[in-house]
Amino acid sequence: MATDRSLATLLRALQSPSTEQVASRLINSATTLLTLLSNPLNVALLTSQILIAPAVWQSTNGVQTSFRILGVFNAASLRKIQQEDALQSQASLLAREGLRVDEWVKAVVQGADDRSPRWKHMLVLGGLLIGFERHNHHGLSSALRRNLGGAMVRAANLALQEVEGPNDESASVICIVLGYIFEILEDSENKQIDRDLLLPLLIESTLFSRNGLHWGYFLGSIDVDIIQDGSNRFNWSPQSSTYLQIKQMTSRPMIASLGSLSRLISLCVANVKDADRLIRMSDNISSFTRSLCIQWQQNKLSEVDAAEESRFLTELSLKSSLPLLWQILKSALFAVVVMQASLLGRVIGDGHMPVTQAPLIAIQTLHSLRNLYFISSRLGQNPFSQHTFLYMTCIDILSRYPAQAEAFLRDIQPADATRIPEHPQQRCLDLYFLNTAEHFAFFLPSICESLLIQSATPYLATGNDPRLLEVFEAAHSVMLAVFACPQNQFIVVHHLPNYIENLFAAFPHSLSGRQFRLAIKTLVRVTAPPSPISETQPLLSSTLLDLVHSRVGNASSERLPSPVGQGDTSDPTPLSEQATLVMTLIDSLSFLPIPVLEEWMAITAEAINLVETPDMLSRCRERFWEVMSNGEMDVARAQVCVIWWNTKGGREMVFGASPPQDQGPFMSGALGEVIKL
């Protein structure tokens, strides 16, 4: 028969070394012939030869070859399903040729024999499972499906025992295949895979092997091709050798499968039995992120601030080469976060984990997020939900261990707290420190002045520099967090005057309206009763509002520009400087002492009517009514508001109308008008 002759020819060709082009044609021929053979022995023979043929496996890139062989059995499965569908739809016209689906599957599996290693058997079984899973096991009996799953589990466990190390190509193949099929396997089958052997192999192959992210060395290698042109702008040409290497890297099976591999790692973390492997996993992730951060610092691209890339990078680099690099870096960030989130979930929910490991893993995780902050900071303050969960959970864990938390903050504090660093990467790390330290102000009052305020002070007086907007606001947030702690009353008295001076000097040029309103409202709250500082400085809250009110009359009525690069979408239509000051007065009313509340409501009502722009005036009036009516006031203050609004001319003052004239009491039955004689 023609198929037998084709088989003989193909088998002879497979025994001889060949070029890449010839090997590709042989693989395509094998895919077609697998589905045409009618003798199960021939099917098994061809399968066996595919797994050991020199013409196929002489390639220097064994992982890429393995990926192609996985595709052979996947494509053959799909073709077999199509043949079966055609026979069923035309059963009365065509006689069956070849093997039935179940017979064919059994024959293919028999070809995965002892002449080939176990990890190659996973290519056969994985290709069959993926192909038939796409068609809901079409043509497979439930028993055969269970046998395939069981065979895959046995092959995986044996392959894990035989693998020599993460740099062994078989390690990458095992990880890639399991990454594709672990969601296909039943839960009972997944549980039978040896997670204690699989987890370290997954971590090391993904993060450290040459087929994976390889310690992030690719990031440092591209520096040689980043050249400064005649216009003093850096250019990374899409024709450079390092760009082509990065492009080739994105096509690697392990890099393309980072998402599925990170999910598989999460599954392993949830079920691994040896807690020491989880600790080593945390160490490995920390080592990888540290290496990646170092590679970035050694790259010329790290010398360019994100806000100035259009000035110092060529348009070709921005549009052609750099997007590919950031795509890989973001994929690495997402993968690391998924891994660490699963690890943290295990730390929280597993009672068998040593209690002493919780703060250590939390610290390592925060260090890893710091090392990756040059990536995540480009995605905004809250890059994605898992990142936020991971970050906040680590802070919650560490807040229960003050000594370790203080040691962590001192470890990541700015190298020189007296000045702003010139290098953008150092400013990025300062931003991470300030954003993180803000959450520990309440738990670590002993370091609020010596560490937090000292580190934030250099950024408080910066001018209108677009490179410093985020870190500028972060510094103000740290100061407010320190002032808001009840135990810091002496710090407030000492540092508040200078801070207020910086605050008013920064608005509106360097500080957004949102941050200014929040700052003043927070300061009024921490200086008003029942705050301890109000006992010694009872007029401090009113003094703050006096400073705000004194600027309303001379403030600009021009609409402020939208905040750039701050990720703030809460106020899509910015206000003017004048309207922002009025809104600040309104926001602070609910914190004022009751004896001065009515006075400040009248002052605020007069300030509202100084706003000339109709839409801003309307928003100020709406906000005033909202503060009085939506529950921001407590019961006692709300009672003052009701009386002032209804009986003391408050309504008329807010809306700019004249208060009603007092006509005096009238006796019942008296004349309604005065008759002049």
Side-chain angles (χ1 to χ4, degrees):
M1 295 177 62
T3 54
D4 293 335
R5 290 193 298 271
S6 298
L7 175 62
T9 303
L10 179 60
L11 291 177
R12 286 193 299 270
L14 289 174
Q15 302 308 312
S16 303
S18 60
T19 62
E20 289 286 341
Q21 293 78 7
V22 173
S24 180
R25 290 198 298 269
L26 292 177
I27 290 175
N28 293 335
S29 299
T31 305
T32 303
L33 196 57
L34 267 176
T35 60
L36 297 178
L37 294 172
S38 58
N39 188 332
L41 296 178
N42 288 338
V43 173
L45 176 62
L46 180 56
T47 300
S48 177
Q49 290 300 309
I50 290 174
L51 297 181
I52 62 174
V56 174
W57 295 98
Q58 70 174 358
S59 171
T60 57
N61 191 342
V63 175
Q64 193 68 35
T65 301
S66 300
F67 190 67
R68 294 174 65 185
I69 298 303
L70 179 70
V72 166
F73 294 98
N74 177 28
S77 301
L78 297 177
R79 290 187 183 182
K80 197 63 184 177
I81 292 172
Q82 294 171 357
Q83 291 176 3
E84 192 73 12
D85 290 341
L87 286 171
Q88 290 179 359
S89 62
Q90 304 178 24
S92 59
L93 301 176
L94 298 175
R96 173 176 293 277
E97 294 183 2
L99 300 172
R100 294 182 180 275
V101 170
D102 55 348
E103 296 173 340
W104 181 81
V105 170
K106 292 177 182 178
V108 171
V109 174
Q110 287 177 356
D113 51 29
D114 293 337
R115 287 182 291 179
S116 55
R118 299 291 182 178
W119 62 271
K120 290 186 179 180
H121 297 179
M122 295 177 64
L123 300 175
V124 177
L125 298 168
L128 294 176
L129 284 170
I130 296 171
F132 285 105
E133 177 66 22
R134 292 180 179 177
H135 288 74
N136 298 319
H137 310 151
H138 180 84
L140 292 183
S141 63
S142 57
L144 183 56
R145 169 60 183 81
R146 287 195 300 271
N147 290 338
L148 276 178
M152 171 58 80
V153 171
R154 289 190 296 273
N157 287 333
L158 291 172
L160 288 170
Q161 295 172 10
E162 296 172 357
V163 71
E164 297 180 357
N167 288 323
D168 187 356
E169 289 184 342
S170 63
S172 299
V173 175
I174 294 170
C175 296
I176 293 170
V177 174
L178 290 178
Y180 280 128
I181 61 96
F182 81 95
E183 293 179 342
I184 297 176
L185 295 176
E186 301 290 341
D187 291 340
S188 58
E189 296 167 342
N190 270 318
K191 291 179 181 178
Q192 297 176 38
I193 298 177
D194 193 337
R195 311 289 176 76
D196 291 79
L197 291 178
L198 178 59
L199 178 61
L201 192 67
L202 281 168
I203 293 294
E204 294 177 9
S205 298
T206 302
L207 301 181
F208 305 130
S209 73
R210 292 182 178 86
N211 298 307
L213 293 169
H214 198 207
W215 293 91
Y217 290 153
F218 65 91
L219 193 55
S221 65
I222 67 176
D223 185 65
V224 296
D225 286 332
I226 299 176
I227 303 172
Q228 198 168 16
D229 61 11
S231 59
N232 292 328
R233 297 200 297 177
F234 290 119
N235 180 55
W236 183 33
S237 173
Q239 283 75 41
S240 63
S241 60
T242 53
Y243 175 80
L244 297 178
Q245 292 173 3
I246 296 295
K247 188 174 182 180
Q248 184 182 16
M249 179 181 175
T250 59
S251 64
R252 294 176 188 169
M254 184 155 281
I255 300 299
S257 306
L258 278 177
S260 60
L261 288 174
S262 61
R263 293 193 297 272
L264 178 58
I265 290 173
S266 299
L267 182 64
C268 291
V269 168
N271 296 277
V272 72
K273 299 176 183 178
D274 188 357
D276 290 339
R277 296 186 184 273
L278 299 177
I279 298 172
R280 287 196 292 272
M281 170 187 170
S282 181
D283 293 338
N284 287 335
I285 295 176
S286 179
S287 298
F288 168 76
T289 58
R290 188 184 309 114
S291 175
L292 191 66
C293 183
I294 293 173
Q295 296 299 317
W296 173 251
Q297 289 177 326
Q298 295 175 351
N299 193 307
K300 295 185 185 72
L301 294 175
S302 67
E303 301 173 8
V304 181
D305 194 277
E308 297 181 323
E309 286 185 343
S310 59
R311 290 179 54 195
F312 294 105
L313 297 178
T314 62
E315 186 176 356
L316 183 63
S317 300
L318 289 173
K319 293 185 177 180
S320 299
S321 51
L322 286 178
L324 183 66
L325 176 64
W326 286 112
Q327 176 186 341
I328 295 180
L329 292 175
K330 290 175 184 178
S331 298
L333 169 67
F334 297 151
V336 168
V337 168
V338 171
M339 296 176 198
Q340 291 189 310
S342 62
L343 177 60
L344 208 60
R346 181 72 183 269
V347 171
I348 296 173
D350 189 354
H352 299 289
M353 288 285 292
V355 178
T356 56
Q357 294 299 326
L360 299 180
I361 292 179
I363 288 174
Q364 280 188 325
T365 303
L366 289 172
H367 271 296
S368 297
L369 295 180
R370 177 177 181 264
N371 293 331
L372 298 177
Y373 200 60
F374 74 94
I375 307 172
S376 60
S377 61
R378 292 172 176 264
L379 305 178
Q381 290 297 323
N382 299 305
F384 49 100
S385 59
Q386 282 189 307
H387 184 280
T388 304
F389 162 78
L390 182 65
Y391 179 67
M392 299 307 298
T393 304
C394 288
I395 291 175
D396 287 342
I397 292 175
L398 208 53
S399 64
R400 296 185 296 171
Y401 302 91
Q404 290 90 333
E406 181 177 347
F408 166 70
L409 291 178
R410 292 194 181 279
D411 191 25
I412 67 170
Q413 67 178 328
D416 187 355
T418 62
R419 64 182 183 87
I420 299 175
E422 294 293 333
H423 201 286
Q425 173 64 4
Q426 294 302 318
R427 294 198 298 267
C428 180
L429 296 179
D430 286 359
L431 175 61
Y432 180 86
F433 169 79
L434 294 173
N435 285 334
T436 304
E438 173 187 350
H439 299 283
F440 291 98
F442 181 81
F443 305 104
L444 300 173
S446 60
I447 65 170
C448 283
E449 185 170 21
S450 61
L451 182 59
L452 273 61
I453 291 181
Q454 184 180 5
S455 300
T457 299
Y459 291 99
L460 295 177
T462 53
N464 189 18
D465 191 337
R467 303 173 302 169
L468 303 177
L469 285 178
E470 285 187 278
V471 69
F472 182 72
E473 287 205 354
H476 280 272
S477 296
V478 168
M479 298 296 293
L480 294 177
V482 172
F483 291 158
C485 297
Q487 60 269 44
N488 290 338
Q489 55 176 313
F490 297 107
I491 296 178
V492 174
V493 173
H494 184 260
H495 291 279
L496 187 59
N498 289 334
Y499 176 71
I500 293 175
E501 182 179 351
N502 288 326
L503 191 66
F504 280 98
F507 177 75
H509 304 293
S510 303
L511 201 64
S512 70
R514 172 188 59 83
Q515 186 72 8
F516 180 78
R517 290 169 60 182
L518 176 63
I520 296 298
K521 182 173 68 173
T522 302
L523 293 176
V524 171
R525 178 172 61 84
V526 301
T527 56
S531 172
I533 195 175
S534 64
E535 298 178 3
T536 57
Q537 304 287 338
L539 300 179
L540 191 53
S541 57
S542 295
T543 303
L544 285 173
L545 292 187
D546 268 329
L547 293 173
V548 176
H549 181 258
S550 64
R551 299 180 58 171
V552 172
N554 298 323
S556 171
S557 59
E558 296 293 328
R559 195 180 301 274
L560 297 175
S562 299
V564 179
Q566 299 175 21
D568 180 25
T569 58
S570 59
D571 188 9
T573 307
L575 299 169
S576 65
E577 178 187 358
Q578 184 183 57
T580 300
L581 293 171
V582 173
M583 284 287 204
T584 304
L585 295 175
I586 298 172
D587 292 340
S588 305
L589 290 175
S590 55
F591 303 107
L592 288 174
I594 293 179
V596 300
L597 176 59
E598 183 176 321
E599 175 187 356
W600 274 105
M601 291 179 71
I603 295 174
T604 303
E606 294 176 356
I608 289 175
N609 289 288
L610 295 178
V611 178
E612 300 177 354
T613 308
D615 65 318
M616 298 183 192
L617 176 61
S618 176
R619 289 175 62 182
C620 290
R621 288 170 174 170
E622 290 174 2
R623 176 59 184 153
F624 191 92
W625 175 253
E626 182 182 356
V627 168
M628 290 196 304
S629 62
N630 73 348
E632 292 188 34
M633 300 279 189
D634 59 19
V635 175
R637 289 181 174 85
Q639 185 177 9
V640 173
C641 292
V642 170
I643 296 174
W644 177 81
W645 181 265
N646 290 298
T647 64
K648 296 189 176 182
R651 181 192 301 108
E652 291 76 13
M653 294 177 67
V654 171
F655 288 98
S658 300
Q661 298 296 324
D662 187 3
Q663 300 296 330
F666 290 94
M667 183 177 65
S668 176
L671 296 176
E673 61 179 351
V674 179
I675 300 176
K676 294 183 179 180
L677 297 176

